[in-house]
Amino acid sequence: TWEELTNGLPSDPNDKGRISIDISQSNPEVLYAFYTDKIGNVEGTFKTTDGGDSWLEVNSISNGTSYHWWFGGIFIDPSNENIVYNSGFVMEKTLDGGTTWGSTFSNVHVDQHAVAFNTQVPGEVLIGNDGGLYKSSTNGDTYQKDNTLPITQFYRFYVDPQNDNKVYGGTQDNNTIRTTSAGIDDWQPIFGGDGFQPLVQSDNTNIIYALSQRGNLGKSTNDGVSFNGALNGIPSSDINNWDTAITFDPADSQTLYYGTQRVYRTTNGASNWAAISPDLSNGPHNGNLAYGTVTSIDVSPLDSNVIYAGTDDGNVQITKDNGENWENVRRNFENAPKKSWVSRVEASKHKKGRAYVTFDNHRFDD
């Protein structure tokens, strides 16, 4: 059985969002609750000293924190009920029971996911975030990052066609990175942000394309030393998927394809782009990120006139005449749910007319 705690807490039942809560180990009558509205905007930090019977708003989190991400939370120091950590976009800490807040674990990687305390060693605090694991023996004033854990999440890979020791990877919140020796310990970042599909020109190892979130495309002509923007001709008003689709024409290293809600083509190595399709999705949709976008493009290596495109709202589009006409063949996939995200389209390398499509329906609890 449960009793809702309301005394001193936000009361509007239609405007409650995430609530992060923790119980003091040193004094279990003390709890902190971090409230947000239904959108996720911070409402305040509330404290009880009587086991939840009554609450007092002590303060809102400071340092510009205005949104409570799903991965965040508050954590009370096990030895002191007045020391509380807030793990959000950055790390924050209060020493006075929530009245004032300041930064801690300064300059660690953003997006904090976890906090743990070593109850046997005073001052030892560990945090986990999108950059990895950090350990402090000084309550977050100083810290060291553990660089031995193989925990980077890769979204995409690409191997240099001229040198298979040069391997490129787009990683979650940790840049586009590469190794030039296929070694374990010499990966280096070359392009920032969330890294997605990297590409290397087949006839020139120095020409590299790299993507970050929402389709930000850069091109390097000096082996990744520097990158310039490569979106000339693609309107900023177009809709980009967080993980924007891009690919080469296998028959021509100067021809690439790029997806917004439409498919774009360049024939001069991204000096400029032109649309070769209408909106291939079912139109823009509501969501916390862009929705109604091309998620995968592939060109037949046996016939460059044949191009496949999949969308995040279930369409599978084909052109057999180099973009002049497109046909949505989604109706032919009888076993896939209608709105399933098309996670990949790939043309066969061995037989004309054959292609493979994968669907991802986890957004609909499947």
Side-chain angles (χ1 to χ4, degrees), residues 210-230:
L211 277 169
S212 57
Q213 60 266 44
R214 295 192 180 95
N216 179 37
L217 178 65
K219 178 182 179 180
S220 174
T221 59
N222 54 12
D223 195 28
V225 174
S226 61
F227 284 81
N228 294 313

PDB file of all heavy atoms in Angstrom, residues 210-230:
ATOM      1  N   ALA A 210      32.846  13.747 -42.343  1.00  0.00           N
ATOM      2  CA  ALA A 210      32.429  13.383 -40.989  1.00  0.00           C
ATOM      3  C   ALA A 210      31.138  14.113 -40.645  1.00  0.00           C
ATOM      4  O   ALA A 210      30.912  15.247 -41.084  1.00  0.00           O
ATOM      5  CB  ALA A 210      33.516  13.720 -39.981  1.00  0.00           C
ATOM      6  N   LEU A 211      30.310  13.467 -39.868  1.00  0.00           N
ATOM      7  CA  LEU A 211      29.011  14.005 -39.472  1.00  0.00           C
ATOM      8  C   LEU A 211      28.916  14.140 -37.959  1.00  0.00           C
ATOM      9  O   LEU A 211      29.446  13.318 -37.216  1.00  0.00           O
ATOM     10  CB  LEU A 211      27.885  13.066 -39.919  1.00  0.00           C
ATOM     11  CG  LEU A 211      27.366  13.142 -41.347  1.00  0.00           C
ATOM     12  CD1 LEU A 211      26.475  11.939 -41.611  1.00  0.00           C
ATOM     13  CD2 LEU A 211      26.581  14.423 -41.570  1.00  0.00           C
ATOM     14  N   SER A 212      28.216  15.187 -37.528  1.00  0.00           N
ATOM     15  CA  SER A 212      27.741  15.221 -36.152  1.00  0.00           C
ATOM     16  C   SER A 212      26.223  15.340 -36.181  1.00  0.00           C
ATOM     17  O   SER A 212      25.610  15.316 -37.252  1.00  0.00           O
ATOM     18  CB  SER A 212      28.386  16.377 -35.371  1.00  0.00           C
ATOM     19  OG  SER A 212      28.130  17.619 -35.996  1.00  0.00           O
ATOM     20  N   GLN A 213      25.612  15.455 -35.008  1.00  0.00           N
ATOM     21  CA  GLN A 213      24.168  15.353 -34.913  1.00  0.00           C
ATOM     22  C   GLN A 213      23.443  16.372 -35.784  1.00  0.00           C
ATOM     23  O   GLN A 213      23.917  17.451 -36.055  1.00  0.00           O
ATOM     24  CB  GLN A 213      23.703  15.476 -33.456  1.00  0.00           C
ATOM     25  CG  GLN A 213      24.074  16.780 -32.762  1.00  0.00           C
ATOM     26  CD  GLN A 213      25.361  16.676 -31.996  1.00  0.00           C
ATOM     27  OE1 GLN A 213      26.337  16.118 -32.476  1.00  0.00           O
ATOM     28  NE2 GLN A 213      25.358  17.218 -30.782  1.00  0.00           N
ATOM     29  N   ARG A 214      22.236  15.931 -36.212  1.00  0.00           N
ATOM     30  CA  ARG A 214      21.342  16.730 -37.058  1.00  0.00           C
ATOM     31  C   ARG A 214      21.981  17.097 -38.393  1.00  0.00           C
ATOM     32  O   ARG A 214      21.699  18.145 -38.958  1.00  0.00           O
ATOM     33  CB  ARG A 214      20.862  17.982 -36.323  1.00  0.00           C
ATOM     34  CG  ARG A 214      19.988  17.703 -35.111  1.00  0.00           C
ATOM     35  CD  ARG A 214      19.318  18.970 -34.621  1.00  0.00           C
ATOM     36  NE  ARG A 214      18.479  18.707 -33.452  1.00  0.00           N
ATOM     37  CZ  ARG A 214      18.867  18.867 -32.195  1.00  0.00           C
ATOM     38  NH1 ARG A 214      20.100  19.297 -31.939  1.00  0.00           N
ATOM     39  NH2 ARG A 214      18.054  18.620 -31.202  1.00  0.00           N
ATOM     40  N   GLY A 215      22.863  16.240 -38.887  1.00  0.00           N
ATOM     41  CA  GLY A 215      23.331  16.389 -40.247  1.00  0.00           C
ATOM     42  C   GLY A 215      24.443  17.380 -40.473  1.00  0.00           C
ATOM     43  O   GLY A 215      24.712  17.761 -41.623  1.00  0.00           O
ATOM     44  N   ASN A 216      25.123  17.805 -39.417  1.00  0.00           N
ATOM     45  CA  ASN A 216      26.239  18.739 -39.590  1.00  0.00           C
ATOM     46  C   ASN A 216      27.395  18.014 -40.272  1.00  0.00           C
ATOM     47  O   ASN A 216      28.048  17.158 -39.670  1.00  0.00           O
ATOM     48  CB  ASN A 216      26.681  19.293 -38.241  1.00  0.00           C
ATOM     49  CG  ASN A 216      27.850  20.246 -38.370  1.00  0.00           C
ATOM     50  OD1 ASN A 216      27.937  21.011 -39.323  1.00  0.00           O
ATOM     51  ND2 ASN A 216      28.758  20.195 -37.417  1.00  0.00           N
ATOM     52  N   LEU A 217      27.650  18.353 -41.530  1.00  0.00           N
ATOM     53  CA  LEU A 217      28.630  17.633 -42.346  1.00  0.00           C
ATOM     54  C   LEU A 217      29.879  18.466 -42.564  1.00  0.00           C
ATOM     55  O   LEU A 217      29.807  19.631 -42.948  1.00  0.00           O
ATOM     56  CB  LEU A 217      28.006  17.280 -43.705  1.00  0.00           C
ATOM     57  CG  LEU A 217      28.917  16.557 -44.700  1.00  0.00           C
ATOM     58  CD1 LEU A 217      29.300  15.171 -44.184  1.00  0.00           C
ATOM     59  CD2 LEU A 217      28.230  16.451 -46.066  1.00  0.00           C
ATOM     60  N   GLY A 218      31.020  17.845 -42.290  1.00  0.00           N
ATOM     61  CA  GLY A 218      32.296  18.490 -42.555  1.00  0.00           C
ATOM     62  C   GLY A 218      33.125  17.675 -43.524  1.00  0.00           C
ATOM     63  O   GLY A 218      32.987  16.450 -43.622  1.00  0.00           O
ATOM     64  N   LYS A 219      33.997  18.356 -44.265  1.00  0.00           N
ATOM     65  CA  LYS A 219      34.891  17.688 -45.214  1.00  0.00           C
ATOM     66  C   LYS A 219      36.323  18.121 -44.950  1.00  0.00           C
ATOM     67  O   LYS A 219      36.615  19.307 -44.798  1.00  0.00           O
ATOM     68  CB  LYS A 219      34.505  18.045 -46.656  1.00  0.00           C
ATOM     69  CG  LYS A 219      35.428  17.418 -47.714  1.00  0.00           C
ATOM     70  CD  LYS A 219      35.023  17.837 -49.120  1.00  0.00           C
ATOM     71  CE  LYS A 219      35.952  17.230 -50.176  1.00  0.00           C
ATOM     72  NZ  LYS A 219      35.583  17.632 -51.555  1.00  0.00           N
ATOM     73  N   SER A 220      37.221  17.145 -44.903  1.00  0.00           N
ATOM     74  CA  SER A 220      38.646  17.420 -44.751  1.00  0.00           C
ATOM     75  C   SER A 220      39.377  17.006 -46.022  1.00  0.00           C
ATOM     76  O   SER A 220      39.122  15.925 -46.566  1.00  0.00           O
ATOM     77  CB  SER A 220      39.220  16.652 -43.559  1.00  0.00           C
ATOM     78  OG  SER A 220      40.629  16.796 -43.495  1.00  0.00           O
ATOM     79  N   THR A 221      40.277  17.845 -46.482  1.00  0.00           N
ATOM     80  CA  THR A 221      41.115  17.513 -47.628  1.00  0.00           C
ATOM     81  C   THR A 221      42.571  17.322 -47.211  1.00  0.00           C
ATOM     82  O   THR A 221      43.440  17.174 -48.064  1.00  0.00           O
ATOM     83  CB  THR A 221      41.028  18.619 -48.695  1.00  0.00           C
ATOM     84  OG1 THR A 221      41.445  19.866 -48.124  1.00  0.00           O
ATOM     85  CG2 THR A 221      39.606  18.747 -49.224  1.00  0.00           C
ATOM     86  N   ASN A 222      42.820  17.330 -45.903  1.00  0.00           N
ATOM     87  CA  ASN A 222      44.196  17.207 -45.407  1.00  0.00           C
ATOM     88  C   ASN A 222      44.307  16.115 -44.342  1.00  0.00           C
ATOM     89  O   ASN A 222      44.936  16.302 -43.307  1.00  0.00           O
ATOM     90  CB  ASN A 222      44.697  18.546 -44.874  1.00  0.00           C
ATOM     91  CG  ASN A 222      43.767  19.142 -43.823  1.00  0.00           C
ATOM     92  OD1 ASN A 222      42.857  18.468 -43.328  1.00  0.00           O
ATOM     93  ND2 ASN A 222      43.990  20.398 -43.482  1.00  0.00           N
ATOM     94  N   ASP A 223      43.651  14.989 -44.612  1.00  0.00           N
ATOM     95  CA  ASP A 223      43.758  13.806 -43.761  1.00  0.00           C
ATOM     96  C   ASP A 223      43.271  14.082 -42.337  1.00  0.00           C
ATOM     97  O   ASP A 223      43.845  13.596 -41.363  1.00  0.00           O
ATOM     98  CB  ASP A 223      45.190  13.285 -43.730  1.00  0.00           C
ATOM     99  CG  ASP A 223      45.280  11.860 -43.173  1.00  0.00           C
ATOM    100  OD1 ASP A 223      44.287  11.116 -43.307  1.00  0.00           O
ATOM    101  OD2 ASP A 223      46.320  11.508 -42.591  1.00  0.00           O
ATOM    102  N   GLY A 224      42.201  14.851 -42.218  1.00  0.00           N
ATOM    103  CA  GLY A 224      41.571  15.043 -40.920  1.00  0.00           C
ATOM    104  C   GLY A 224      42.187  16.087 -40.038  1.00  0.00           C
ATOM    105  O   GLY A 224      41.764  16.251 -38.888  1.00  0.00           O
ATOM    106  N   VAL A 225      43.175  16.833 -40.554  1.00  0.00           N
ATOM    107  CA  VAL A 225      43.778  17.896 -39.740  1.00  0.00           C
ATOM    108  C   VAL A 225      42.762  18.998 -39.479  1.00  0.00           C
ATOM    109  O   VAL A 225      42.675  19.557 -38.377  1.00  0.00           O
ATOM    110  CB  VAL A 225      45.033  18.462 -40.426  1.00  0.00           C
ATOM    111  CG1 VAL A 225      45.575  19.655 -39.651  1.00  0.00           C
ATOM    112  CG2 VAL A 225      46.091  17.376 -40.544  1.00  0.00           C
ATOM    113  N   SER A 226      41.957  19.343 -40.475  1.00  0.00           N
ATOM    114  CA  SER A 226      40.920  20.364 -40.325  1.00  0.00           C
ATOM    115  C   SER A 226      39.749  20.011 -41.229  1.00  0.00           C
ATOM    116  O   SER A 226      39.900  19.280 -42.223  1.00  0.00           O
ATOM    117  CB  SER A 226      41.461  21.755 -40.672  1.00  0.00           C
ATOM    118  OG  SER A 226      41.898  21.798 -42.021  1.00  0.00           O
ATOM    119  N   PHE A 227      38.565  20.546 -40.879  1.00  0.00           N
ATOM    120  CA  PHE A 227      37.348  20.289 -41.627  1.00  0.00           C
ATOM    121  C   PHE A 227      36.656  21.603 -41.966  1.00  0.00           C
ATOM    122  O   PHE A 227      36.688  22.554 -41.178  1.00  0.00           O
ATOM    123  CB  PHE A 227      36.382  19.425 -40.813  1.00  0.00           C
ATOM    124  CG  PHE A 227      36.757  17.971 -40.757  1.00  0.00           C
ATOM    125  CD1 PHE A 227      37.727  17.524 -39.869  1.00  0.00           C
ATOM    126  CD2 PHE A 227      36.146  17.052 -41.592  1.00  0.00           C
ATOM    127  CE1 PHE A 227      38.078  16.185 -39.812  1.00  0.00           C
ATOM    128  CE2 PHE A 227      36.488  15.702 -41.542  1.00  0.00           C
ATOM    129  CZ  PHE A 227      37.454  15.270 -40.652  1.00  0.00           C
ATOM    130  N   ASN A 228      36.033  21.629 -43.138  1.00  0.00           N
ATOM    131  CA  ASN A 228      35.202  22.750 -43.541  1.00  0.00           C
ATOM    132  C   ASN A 228      33.769  22.273 -43.719  1.00  0.00           C
ATOM    133  O   ASN A 228      33.523  21.101 -44.052  1.00  0.00           O
ATOM    134  CB  ASN A 228      35.705  23.358 -44.853  1.00  0.00           C
ATOM    135  CG  ASN A 228      37.065  23.997 -44.702  1.00  0.00           C
ATOM    136  OD1 ASN A 228      37.313  24.743 -43.762  1.00  0.00           O
ATOM    137  ND2 ASN A 228      37.968  23.695 -45.630  1.00  0.00           N
ATOM    138  N   GLY A 229      32.813  23.177 -43.524  1.00  0.00           N
ATOM    139  CA  GLY A 229      31.418  22.829 -43.737  1.00  0.00           C
ATOM    140  C   GLY A 229      31.173  22.403 -45.168  1.00  0.00           C
ATOM    141  O   GLY A 229      31.780  22.932 -46.101  1.00  0.00           O
ATOM    142  N   ALA A 230      30.262  21.432 -45.350  1.00  0.00           N
ATOM    143  CA  ALA A 230      30.060  20.844 -46.674  1.00  0.00           C
ATOM    144  C   ALA A 230      28.567  20.682 -46.970  1.00  0.00           C
ATOM    145  O   ALA A 230      28.129  19.635 -47.443  1.00  0.00           O
ATOM    146  CB  ALA A 230      30.776  19.502 -46.764  1.00  0.00           C
TER     147      ALA A 230
END
